[in-house]
Amino acid sequence: MRSATRWIKLWRDVQAERGRFGLMLVAVVVALAALGAVLGAYAVLTREMADNYLGTDPAHATLELRGDVTPAVLAAARKHPGVAVAEARDVIPARARVGDAWLPVLLFAMDAFPASGVSRFFAREGSSAPATGSVLLEHTATGVLAAGMGDRLTLKTPNGTPRTVAVSGLVHDPGLAPAWQERTGYVYLDRATLRQLGEDGTLHELRVRFRDTPETMAAVQAAAESLASALQAQGFPVMELRVPPPRQHPHQRQMTTVLFLLLAFSAMTLVLAAVLVANTLSALLARQVREIGVMKTLGATTPQLVRIYLALVALIGMAAFVVALPLGVGGTRLFAIAVARLLNLSLTQSYAPPWVFAVQWAAALTVPLLVAAVPVWSACRVTVRDAIDQHGSGGERLRQRISRWPTALRNVLRKPARLGLTLGLLAAGGAMFMTALNISDSWQQTIDKVYQTRHYDVEVRFYADEPLTWRERVAQLPGVRSAEAWGYSPAAFARPGQMDVSRAYPDRGHGAFTVMAPPPSTRMIDFPVLAGRWLQPSDRDAVVLNHAAMAQQRQLKVGDPVLLSIGGRTSSWRLVGIVEEIGAAGVGYVNDQAFAQATASAGLARMIRVTTDATTSAQRVQRIAQIEAHLADAGAGVDRVQPLSELRTAMGDHIVILIRALLALAFVMAAVGGLGLASTLGISVLERTRELAVMKTLGATQGRLVGMVLGEAQTVALLSVLLAFALSLPLTWLLDVMIGGLGFVAPLPFAVSPLALLAWVALVLLVSLVAAWPPARRAAQLPIALALAQV
């Protein structure tokens, strides 16, 4: 058989089945576009992470001094072996007036602008060096503080009174998480402006970068401890070391996990599309078995036929690549911008590097070919005798086994290999669809734990320990049901004879560890106990750690001694329990009396938690505003007033992009599965045109024939639902563990969404009806003579 004849025949096949080849093309285009978008975003964000976060020259370590970082301290630090850069900084918690409310801000104070050498930030608009009496704002804080370039901002520091300053510039600080995510404003100012706000201008932080030091946690910590020892020997007491994970943005784990999961999902989508191509091609070849036999009679060999059909698959892949390329470029840009906003990155370039397109091209060519190779080889290796004797039904043994089964089930089992591919395609799409909705439910249940385990409306923190009389005054306010005074202090896990080291970032939130001391009778928290027990009134040296704190000290177990440095004072405790606390960094809980003894703070408290009688959100806002106004009028040194609802919102903001992207990819996979079902059903009906004609001659009505085909289609759909549901369970569990570890250092609760199952049942039944109705109706209406003449 001549080569030209074979290619002409193939071209005519494509023309005759252009609808189904169109479905194959669309499926591969969708999958390649998704793969290109996610892979491109990964490449862009990996590059921009280095250009942004690492481009700030983040401090390897921060040394907290008891006194001011004077020029003498800086000189001593810069002379120490291995120190490349040393600068004086400080972070002061303050508050900014926004409308009628006071919102928390962090004041980043420094000696000179613009920042250079360590923990740099970059001018975005206006001045890069604020004059005395003016400040710079991090650009993500403009929405939080309702202030921008040229506006005036009212600030109140721990020791000052409210003062108004001008905003003379906006900056971008890639070393910080977005302000809107943390519900905190970021303000930059110099010593002189800090003094105008009522502080003494002391800068306690010495931020350093080392040279010739491996950027590992152990190496950086050792270098920082060596520097601290040298400074203390020269009379400069160091209170604490802060060593965040080297080269890691505060939200880098989120980015890495999000992109890994989405890349896995998009790769799976491409495999599903390739299965669709293989399934459809297998069905088309099954209809052409006699044609293959005729071609072999005319001299065609099996390898020649295999090359023809695989060339067709390759052409589909290449055509899909051409169409998907611009779609992937657009998706890369949109996705990279969304994740960059989550990480506070400024994209200098949102276009993927050439290797991403090379991977897309290779995937478009190889994945469909690899998946289609087996069915193509199986169809083309048929002998001439078997091809001429082909009747289009299953084997005799299979027919005997299923002879007593329902008619619809017997009919769908005629082609077990094709049924397996179709079920696999639909089940994979359905499993991902249900998994995404299950994960969404798991995430919602996790966020709901904020309210289920905390039974207060607002938390009030003071800059320093305050008399317990504040609790009494708040408890007497109208609408306040109860108010509890809690001990609260930043802390660190101490080491005998060594400097305290924490993993906190410069914002003092990410990686931080605190100790809280609730009253023994508190009912404002009810955390699930993972191991051991909760505190008892008689405990004097017991500590309970939440699971985030345990993630920092994985070697600890219940019953072990724990050495804590609380407010610079070291004390020994015994670990009696571990609790799950969603929405918090590392926290250790001790009894209030034991805390007061360890910190010499009897009769004082740094935090008040309040429950109100509010039953609606509006009433709750009103009660909180009343509490805040009362404390402000009385001159209390309030650090922040955090409604519980803000904690819930902030948690959702941290990972909302992952949930949305999972849902989007779930619908993409569902669409690919639906296309596969439509293609397979259409071919199946065409193969049975003669059979349907024979049934018509025996008296079957058009309605009965159509109903029979629709029943078979829905049988396939329901079988796929069962398989998809079974697959979704382990997949949901796996993603619960991965995403929970990303957001909460604990697995998400396992959830099976009834809505997900019902939605997939409805969707797959609808797709099966829409896919089977047109070919079934055409076949049923075809005149018997024409139907019997079909090949």
Side-chain angles (χ1 to χ4, degrees), residues 352 485 571:
S571 51

Side-chain angles (χ1 to χ4, degrees), residues 34-51:
L35 179 66
V38 176
L39 196 61
Y42 173 81
V44 169
L45 292 167
T46 302
R47 179 187 66 219
E48 297 297 324
M49 178 74 76
D51 291 344

Side-chain angles (χ1 to χ4, degrees), residues 8 228 299 306 410 450 455 475 504 563 675 677 716 743 757 790:
I8 291 172
V306 169
R410 291 203 310 270
V450 171
H455 311 295
L563 199 62
L675 290 173
L677 179 61
V716 174
L757 179 59
Q790 295 286 317

Side-chain angles (χ1 to χ4, degrees), residues 739-753:
I739 298 174
L742 159 71
F744 305 114
V745 203
L748 298 181
F750 182 79
V752 177
S753 170

